[in-house]
Amino acid sequence: MFLRILNALKSERLSLTELSVMVLDEADLLFGFGNDKMVTEIVSHLPGTQQSFLMSATLSEQVEKIKKLTLRNPVTLKLDDSSLPNAETLQQYQINLNEDFEKYLVILSFLKLRIVRGKSLVFACGTNR
């Protein structure tokens, strides 16, 4: 992905001069797999006036590097750990469904019947429904 962006920037098929908001999700992985030079070069094409958001579950050395490259006057928001369940009270379930109708029916049932209590995280392949 980085190579395609970089090639588009170099061939002037892509311009970032009008970029106003930039969101970098999984920032701790951006410099992984030897991408640090490409990411640094892409960042050099940023206008410098954009509002940037870095999302990361960890505050690693890589996040610090990308933070220095992309942010001005950064603010760090940390999740309050006191509201998170500990390992003994955390419950995890996995349901594998094949048909779209089944997926829709199961999630609708969970919501309508209030089967799931508390905070939940649901992973899905799409957002059509």
Side-chain angles (χ1 to χ4, degrees):
M1 174 179 72
F2 296 121
L3 186 57
R4 291 181 74 183
I5 293 170
L6 200 51
N7 286 338
L9 286 168
K10 287 180 179 181
S11 66
E12 297 182 357
R13 291 179 311 204
L14 175 66
S15 172
L16 301 178
T17 57
E18 299 294 321
L19 183 73
S20 59
V21 177
M22 178 178 64
V23 178
L24 300 173
D25 195 11
E26 302 292 347
D28 53 333
L29 301 177
L30 286 178
F31 276 158
F33 310 110
N35 293 323
D36 52 340
K37 290 180 183 176
M38 283 190 282
V39 171
T40 303
E41 192 169 346
I42 291 169
V43 167
S44 71
H45 287 84
L46 295 173
T49 57
Q50 79 282 348
Q51 183 176 15
S52 300
F53 297 91
L54 298 182
M55 311 296 177
S56 177
T58 60
L59 294 175
S60 64
E61 184 180 326
Q62 287 82 5
V63 173
E64 288 299 319
K65 287 179 184 178
I66 196 80
K67 186 168 115 176
K68 288 177 183 174
L69 277 174
T70 59
L71 303 180
R72 298 173 315 278
N73 303 319
V75 174
T76 302
L77 300 177
K78 293 183 181 181
L79 183 64
D80 178 21
D81 289 348
S82 64
S83 66
L84 297 175
N86 56 30
E88 293 79 34
T89 59
L90 180 64
Q91 295 179 346
Q92 299 182 56
Y93 301 96
Q94 178 177 337
I95 301 173
N96 293 318
L97 302 169
N98 294 325
E99 301 296 324
D100 278 343
F101 179 74
E102 289 177 357
K103 295 174 185 178
Y104 178 72
L105 190 60
V106 168
I107 195 72
L108 183 64
S109 299
F110 281 177
L111 295 172
K112 288 289 187 180
L113 298 173
R114 296 188 176 138
I115 293 172
V116 178
R117 292 202 166 94
K119 297 177 182 176
S120 300
L121 186 59
V122 176
F123 292 94
C125 294
T127 58
N128 291 343
R129 292 191 177 195

